[in-house]
Amino acid sequence: MLSLAEENYLKAIYHLSLRGQAVLTNDLAAQLHTKAASVTDMIKRLSLKALVRHEKYYGVMLTKKGTQAALSIVRKHRLWETFLVQKLGFTWDEVHEVAEQLEHIQSARLIEALDEFLGYPSVDPHGDPIPDKTGKMTTSADRALSEMSPGFQGRIQAVKDSDSQLLKYLDKLGAHPGTPIQLVAIETFDGSLEVIIRKTRYFLSREVSQNILVTHP
């Protein structure tokens, strides 16, 4: 059985590795708000359990065993977020920290029952895909809104950042996963975007638009 700290490290390595490269010690330390020396010690522990591979000056990567463990944690986190929003009335900006606690529950039977109770959802309230019990999950060719050109019409697929203030802001705009969105223009001066959401015109900063993932309808 993995400790809470070990699970947190595996999940952090998984998310950072989605950039397509090995995870550097300093990046992992920043992600977990800890010291590089503590990261090095944990990597050694995880290596002994065959959960990660570490190459000096290159970085750390999850092994197949480590990836399966990380996806299990991600699965629990996203299922709990879905439960909290759909069944307990939490808003999508409130659920992340609570799910951070619930994701460490070890009962496989409980998680499978939760998945069935929710109707086997494929995405969580933020639009992130939920791995199934084998670790598989649906993926889509979504891109950041900031990468699109004026005239783009599609829908919001997901929101990358779990920052509660960002989610509250998007909630005011009605900018939820599945919502149609149209890119009208891009301001040359600061890269802000003029968009239409639910027939209303808004101006989004580049930072906000970088965190909104969109896809064609």
Side-chain angles (χ1 to χ4, degrees):
M1 182 179 296
L2 298 174
S3 69
L4 184 149
E6 289 171 334
E7 290 192 340
N8 285 338
Y9 268 82
L10 290 175
K11 189 177 71 168
I13 294 170
Y14 169 77
H15 285 306
L16 289 171
S17 69
L18 294 178
R19 298 178 300 187
Q21 57 191 27
V23 178
L24 300 178
T25 299
N26 288 339
D27 290 342
L28 193 52
Q31 178 81 1
L32 294 169
H33 307 290
T34 190
K35 298 178 180 178
S38 299
V39 172
T40 300
D41 290 341
M42 178 59 78
I43 288 174
K44 290 178 180 178
R45 286 171 55 182
L46 297 174
S47 295
L48 290 174
K49 294 186 177 184
L51 295 166
V52 301
R53 293 193 306 273
H54 181 249
E55 296 182 25
K56 195 173 183 179
Y57 308 121
Y58 178 66
V60 62
M61 298 183 66
L62 295 172
T63 61
K64 182 177 181 181
K65 178 181 177 182
T67 299
Q68 290 174 337
L71 285 171
S72 174
I73 301 161
V74 171
R75 167 175 165 78
K76 288 186 286 185
H77 183 99
R78 293 176 179 174
L79 281 173
W80 282 120
E81 285 193 335
T82 304
F83 172 76
L84 291 167
V85 169
Q86 290 188 2
K87 305 301 180 181
L88 296 187
F90 281 66
T91 57
W92 68 339
D93 58 280
E94 297 175 319
V95 295
H96 181 72
E97 290 187 2
V98 181
E100 288 272 290
Q101 301 170 51
L102 294 169
E103 70 186 24
H104 298 291
I105 293 174
Q106 297 297 323
S107 173
R109 181 180 177 185
L110 172 61
I111 299 306
E112 297 317 310
L114 177 64
D115 192 20
E116 181 180 5
F117 177 68
L118 293 170
Y120 305 103
S122 59
V123 295
D124 72 8
H126 308 105
D128 293 316
I130 300 175
D132 66 16
K133 61 183 178 182
T134 68
K136 294 181 181 180
M137 55 184 166
T138 58
T139 58
S140 58
D142 46 349
R143 296 170 59 189
L145 179 61
S146 58
E147 299 175 15
M148 310 311 290
S149 301
F152 167 79
Q153 296 187 51
R155 60 184 176 85
I156 298 172
Q157 180 72 16
V159 178
K160 287 198 298 183
D161 197 331
S162 59
D163 179 82
S164 63
Q165 295 304 313
L166 171 64
L167 295 173
K168 287 178 180 178
Y169 173 65
L170 294 178
D171 199 37
K172 290 180 181 179
L173 308 185
H176 303 112
T179 302
I181 187 168
Q182 178 181 347
L183 175 54
V184 179
I186 301 176
E187 175 55 55
T188 304
F189 173 67
D190 61 0
S192 59
L193 276 62
E194 181 181 353
V195 302
I196 296 176
I197 302 172
R198 300 184 186 276
K199 300 182 180 181
T200 302
R201 194 174 300 262
Y202 298 102
F203 290 89
L204 304 179
S205 69
R206 184 165 184 82
E207 181 180 1
V208 169
S209 64
Q210 288 173 336
N211 282 291
I212 298 176
L213 301 181
V214 295
T215 187
H216 289 281

